[in-house]
Amino acid sequence: MPYLDFVIGGVLGYLPSMVITTVMGLCLEDPASPGFILSTVLFILVQAFAALGFSLWWKHHAPKSSPMEESDNESAQ
């Protein structure tokens, strides 16, 4: 992977969480404020979306089991 693509992808990947966490930190003195509540909800949604995205990616890119693992599974049945 080219270095520039790696850096751009990393920054874009972390940017939403950094912005949300910054807003949450600014509103920390008043946890009942709309800014804190909204940033908390957005933080949870971003994390859930990332987990769902990884789960879908893993289903399509998971390594295939090796022939040794398949023979072990067959003998255990």
Side-chain angles (χ1 to χ4, degrees), residues 22-73:
T22 302
V23 172
M24 193 182 299
L26 292 173
C27 301
L28 197 57
E29 292 180 6
D30 185 14
S33 69
F36 185 83
I37 293 170
L38 180 63
S39 60
T40 302
V41 169
L42 286 175
F43 183 79
I44 292 169
L45 288 174
V46 165
Q47 299 306 315
F49 182 73
L52 176 65
F54 177 75
S55 176
L56 293 173
W57 179 86
W58 186 253
K59 283 183 181 179
H60 295 288
H61 295 91
K64 303 272 190 254
S65 60
S66 69
M68 289 296 291
E69 290 174 356
E70 289 176 7
S71 65
D72 290 343
N73 290 338

